[in-house]
Amino acid sequence: MENQLRSNSISLPGLIFQGMGQLSPLFTFDGIISVAAFAAGASPLAFLIGLVASLLTGNTLYQFSKRTASARGYYGYSGYSLGKHAAFITSYLYLIYQLANLIFILSFFIMIFNPAILYLTGFNIPFYYGIILVAVISIPAFYTVYRGIVPSFKSQITINVIEIIFVVVISIIIIFTSKDNTLSVFTPISGYKNLFLGFITGSFLAYTGYGSVVSLGEEARAPRKNIGLSIVAMLLIIGILDLLISYSLVVGFGVSKMGSFTDTVIPAFIVIKTHVGSFVSIFFLAFNFFIIYTLFNTIGTAITRNIYSMARDGFLPGTFMKLNRYGAPENALLLLLGIFISVAIVSTVIFYASFSAGGFLDQFIFYATISTLSTLIIHMIVNTGLSRVYKNKLSDIVIPTISTIIILIALYYAVSSLAFPFIYSVVIMLLYIIIIASFSVIMRTKIKDIYGKAMIQRNK
């Protein structure tokens, strides 16, 4: 049919690796600094808690995926179980979640560019060269989104297989050459507050990309079977990899030295150069910028489907439903790029003007916190929704409730312990939720029930 996404375009392996693009294990080598900034030597434990929490929240998506599949993603699940207002709010929460992901990724790679080059080669290159490099690499990432789901997942399979092999080999070498191997890193040696702050600012976020495949429900083969299976597979794969990576970096750097881990900005480069050598660390730097492709491609693919569905359901103007000749949401991609570029420019100028080069680290953690807060709230919504349409008390009520309790504990520590400028992440999220909730009430007569009569049947 005209203006319909192309069905049966992506199989189970494609779903797994398309989702893995946002779960990039290589990015954990870099992004662990947002976790270690608080959890320090207990960072591996923070990742373990993140994995457990993600398996619990992943159960919710797994259960929903067996009942409904569409391009709506998370908001399709909340709409199915809680109604149109929950769907409206969840759809806009997903937009800010993925937009924050794009900006914190951008911030991170700008942040590490100069220090990494200086450390590895001795050349002091201006930071704006990093901006240019990220912009250049993002072009093929978004172009592949424009070309549709098939070239996207095929490229993801190739890059992710190479990436997984690389991180496994490097991590094992670091562990075997380290003199600081200990299981104490799986205990709360940094204190419970710092442990949960590490969870909020990074370790939970490291797993949340698995939900990117939910919005491929109209393009997947056997979506009610394969979406859920891909989520389980991704979480198990990335869980093992992230635990391996976080442990290797902490013991490779030195547990007793973790207080200065984040201050170095490029701890992964230091550990790899120390334990594996300069050549591999230079390759690691080059490979780092290739994963910008996988991250931006997966995020771009997921969010354009979300925008397309929002336009179809009346949450956005209908013009964003338009598909190009490759079956990809063309105007949705243009909207995404417009917002991303505008916000990124304004935000980067503000943080750099306020904190100079150190502002890139602050911007990175700032948007990582927004991303985590938004996805935690989204998961609480869908957890609540699943308990309302339950079929099995254990999988549909007990496990989602445990998941929500963990999320609430993490949110408590986040709200009570974050300092300037990161407390503004909480303020922005509160304002954003108030605004979209207000619009939901104001537009209540115009917002349609996305499942129509199916809503009446959902409890039967």
Side-chain angles (χ1 to χ4, degrees):
M1 294 178 63
E2 186 179 356
N3 224 45
Q4 295 289 321
L5 295 167
R6 296 177 181 177
S7 60
N8 298 313
S9 297
I10 180 169
S11 62
L12 178 59
L15 287 168
I16 293 172
F17 284 100
Q18 181 66 27
M20 284 291 293
Q22 192 170 343
L23 291 169
S24 172
L26 194 67
F27 192 55
T28 301
F29 262 105
D30 302 310
I32 190 177
I33 62 172
S34 65
V35 181
F38 300 100
S43 293
L45 177 59
F47 275 97
L48 181 59
I49 294 172
L51 173 60
V52 172
S54 296
L55 286 170
L56 293 173
T57 55
N59 165 74
T60 298
L61 302 191
Y62 179 81
Q63 301 304 328
F64 267 124
S65 70
K66 295 187 292 185
R67 306 177 193 188
T68 180
S70 71
R72 296 182 176 106
Y74 284 93
Y75 91 82
Y77 294 164
S78 62
Y80 176 87
S81 56
L82 297 173
K84 61 184 182 180
H85 293 290
F88 184 87
I89 292 171
T90 306
S91 68
Y92 278 93
L93 282 172
Y94 190 76
L95 291 184
I96 195 172
Y97 158 65
Q98 289 289 31
L99 178 63
N101 283 337
L102 289 172
I103 298 177
F104 89 69
I105 292 167
L106 170 71
S107 307
F108 179 81
F109 284 105
I110 296 172
M111 175 186 71
I112 69 167
F113 182 76
N114 173 271
I117 294 290
L118 182 62
Y119 175 74
L120 296 175
T121 68
F123 292 108
N124 190 5
I125 299 177
F127 75 89
Y128 56 81
Y129 278 75
I131 297 177
I132 295 172
L133 183 58
V134 172
V136 169
I137 297 175
S138 68
I139 292 173
F142 288 115
Y143 177 69
T144 311
V145 174
Y146 175 84
R147 288 293 303 271
I149 190 61
V150 175
S152 288
F153 82 75
K154 286 184 177 180
S155 60
Q156 292 279 8
I157 291 174
T158 301
I159 297 173
N160 276 288
V161 168
I162 297 172
E163 183 182 346
I164 290 171
I165 293 171
F166 178 79
V167 298
V168 169
V169 172
I170 294 302
S171 297
I172 291 174
I173 293 174
I174 293 171
I175 291 170
F176 276 96
T177 56
S178 173
K179 298 179 181 179
D180 209 10
N181 284 292
T182 174
L183 292 177
S184 67
V185 297
F186 290 103
T187 63
I189 55 178
S190 60
Y192 286 101
K193 279 190 176 182
N194 287 330
L195 178 65
F196 277 102
L197 279 173
F199 170 84
I200 281 286
T201 57
S203 70
F204 183 75
L205 186 61
Y207 299 103
T208 55
Y210 65 84
S212 61
V213 299
V214 175
S215 60
L216 299 178
E218 293 175 28
E219 296 166 277
R221 297 174 189 169
R224 297 194 182 192
K225 173 186 176 183
N226 288 334
I227 295 289
L229 289 177
S230 67
I231 288 171
V232 174
M234 280 187 283
L235 283 173
L236 293 177
I237 293 170
I238 199 63
I240 294 171
L241 292 173
D242 280 358
L243 289 174
L244 180 67
I245 293 166
S246 60
Y247 178 81
S248 70
L249 286 176
V250 170
V251 300
F253 192 83
V255 179
S256 62
K257 302 175 183 177
M258 286 300 293
S260 62
F261 187 86
T262 300
D263 294 338
T264 67
V265 180
I266 53 167
F269 292 92
I270 295 172
V271 173
I272 292 174
K273 184 178 180 180
T274 301
H275 290 269
V276 190
S278 299
F279 176 78
V280 175
S281 59
I282 292 173
F283 178 79
F284 173 67
L285 174 62
F287 202 11
N288 254 278
F289 287 92
F290 277 101
I291 65 170
I292 295 172
Y293 172 89
T294 66
L295 291 164
F296 280 10
N297 176 266
T298 295
I299 293 171
T301 298
I303 200 170
T304 51
R305 272 63 182 174
N306 195 78
I307 292 172
Y308 162 83
S309 288
M310 290 173 70
R312 185 175 59 187
D313 291 326
F315 297 176
L316 283 171
T319 185
F320 297 113
M321 284 179 58
K322 182 183 177 183
L323 301 179
N324 62 20
R325 56 179 172 150
Y326 303 109
E330 181 177 65
N331 287 351
L333 178 59
L334 292 175
L335 176 64
L336 168 62
L337 291 174
I339 296 174
F340 171 44
I341 293 170
S342 301
V343 174
I345 291 173
V346 172
S347 177
T348 300
V349 169
I350 291 173
F351 273 91
Y352 183 75
S354 301
F355 306 104
S356 67
F360 295 122
L361 175 60
D362 290 337
Q363 183 173 241
F364 167 63
I365 299 180
F366 176 81
Y367 281 102
T369 304
I370 288 180
S371 177
T372 304
L373 290 173
S374 56
T375 192
L376 288 173
I377 295 168
I378 289 171
H379 280 287
M380 284 198 296
I381 293 172
V382 293
N383 283 344
T384 302
L386 183 60
S387 65
R388 188 184 176 200
V389 295
Y390 78 92
K391 294 181 179 180
N392 179 283
K393 288 186 178 181
L394 176 62
S395 62
D396 297 353
I397 296 180
V398 175
I399 294 178
T401 300
I402 294 173
S403 170
T404 298
I405 290 172
I406 293 175
I407 290 172
L408 288 172
I409 292 172
L411 286 173
Y412 166 77
Y413 282 115
V415 173
S416 64
S417 303
L418 283 178
F420 175 86
F422 311 120
I423 192 63
Y424 284 119
S425 302
V426 178
V427 174
I428 286 175
M429 280 306 304
L430 286 174
L431 290 175
Y432 186 76
I433 291 171
I434 291 171
I435 291 171
I436 58 177
S438 299
F439 269 103
S440 175
V441 173
I442 294 170
M443 298 173 60
R444 62 185 179 276
T445 58
K446 296 182 179 179
I447 298 175
K448 65 180 181 181
D449 192 333
I450 62 175
Y451 281 95
K453 294 181 179 180
M455 289 288 291
I456 301 174
Q457 303 295 325
R458 66 180 181 270
N459 288 317
K460 295 184 179 181

